[in-house]
Amino acid sequence: MSKTILLVEDDRTLFGEVARLLSAHGYAVADGKNGDAPDGEYALALLDVKLPGRSGYEVCAAIRSRRADVPVVFLTSSESTESELTGFAMGGDDFIRKPFEPAVLLARIARLLRKQEEPKLTRAGLTIDPVRMEAVYSGNAVQLTRTEYVMLATLASGKVTSRNELINELWDNEAFVDENTLYVNMNRLRDKLHSIGMENAITTVRGAGYRLG
């Protein structure tokens, strides 16, 4: 069965081009129009940041209020680091700048969808569920964004993970990420683990990176 991608893009010419690209590679496309009604079943959301109504960030927030398991990718022509930080803070998983190479877009989508098929992970009494997008500890559960899940799953190896390793795992190429973005997501993840009883769950190893448990 084809996986459905929600495409929210007000430029109908670009919408048509992306929709044809996705269809040609086996995906079904749901037209999110201007993001007014991001309902229905879909495996991934592809959102333009600048829309005539509410912004792509607001659409992302609406999606996150319903589902934490859907990867969200922003399409943007902005070069601003602040726009990336805003997107990640709203629960986005990746940024792709316009104009983009079709192969890059397809690779990013495929990478995020593969993450959904991973089994549950367990480390230091913590269970990480990629389907429900939850971290569970001592019977307490907290919802994770896709980015938080990838970070936590990477750290669940038990080894010290460097900043560069996390960035490469999350966004493929360090050039797409400001260092502050990693810190924002790391602090948010630490707060969530603390909320379910894992105090000091992620420690910083000076000069080396991060360790879970």
Side-chain angles (χ1 to χ4, degrees):
M1 183 180 294
S2 299
K3 291 189 176 181
T4 299
I5 294 179
L6 175 70
L7 178 57
V8 180
E9 171 59 68
D10 64 308
D11 182 332
R12 302 315 289 175
T13 299
L14 181 57
F15 176 92
E17 293 174 355
V18 175
R20 286 190 291 273
L21 174 69
L22 295 174
S23 297
H25 286 81
Y27 298 108
V29 178
D31 187 353
K33 300 187 184 300
N34 295 330
D36 296 328
D39 295 320
E41 292 299 319
Y42 42 89
L44 180 143
L46 195 58
L47 312 178
D48 185 17
V49 170
K50 293 184 178 180
L51 298 168
R54 54 181 175 176
S55 71
Y57 303 133
E58 293 172 299
V59 177
C60 178
I63 292 172
R64 285 286 173 258
S65 70
R66 296 172 174 86
R67 296 178 61 185
D69 62 318
V70 174
V72 174
V73 179
F74 289 109
L75 298 176
T76 179
S77 56
S78 173
E79 296 291 334
S80 169
T81 297
E82 289 184 2
S83 67
E84 288 194 19
L85 290 173
T86 300
F88 291 129
M90 296 298 288
D93 299 290
D94 204 352
F95 261 80
I96 298 179
R97 301 192 188 284
K98 303 177 185 177
F100 51 81
E101 290 291 334
V104 172
L105 176 62
L106 291 169
R108 298 289 185 88
I109 289 172
R111 179 182 177 85
L112 287 170
L113 291 177
R114 282 197 301 272
K115 294 293 183 183
Q116 290 184 307
E117 300 172 358
E118 296 179 353
K120 290 183 180 180
L121 300 172
T122 302
R123 174 73 184 175
L126 176 71
T127 299
I128 308 164
D129 188 333
V131 176
R132 299 177 66 87
M133 293 299 290
E134 290 181 338
V136 183
Y137 182 75
S138 296
N140 301 313
V142 65
Q143 287 283 296
L144 304 171
T145 66
R146 171 59 50 176
T147 298
E148 291 163 355
Y149 164 75
V150 174
M151 291 175 65
L152 194 53
T154 302
L155 291 169
S157 67
K159 69 181 182 67
V160 175
T161 304
S162 72
R163 179 184 64 86
N164 286 340
E165 286 174 320
L166 280 173
I167 288 174
N168 288 335
E169 185 66 28
L170 283 166
W171 299 292
D172 295 333
N173 189 319
E174 191 170 358
F176 288 91
V177 180
D178 182 89
E179 188 171 292
N180 287 333
T181 305
L182 180 62
Y183 295 152
V184 167
N185 283 280
M186 182 62 71
N187 288 335
R188 188 171 58 191
L189 178 57
R190 281 170 161 157
D191 288 343
K192 286 190 174 183
L193 294 179
H194 179 77
S195 74
I196 58 174
M198 286 196 76
E199 298 183 10
N200 302 315
I202 300 173
T203 57
T204 300
V205 181
R206 186 180 296 275
Y210 303 95
R211 176 188 285 130
L212 175 66

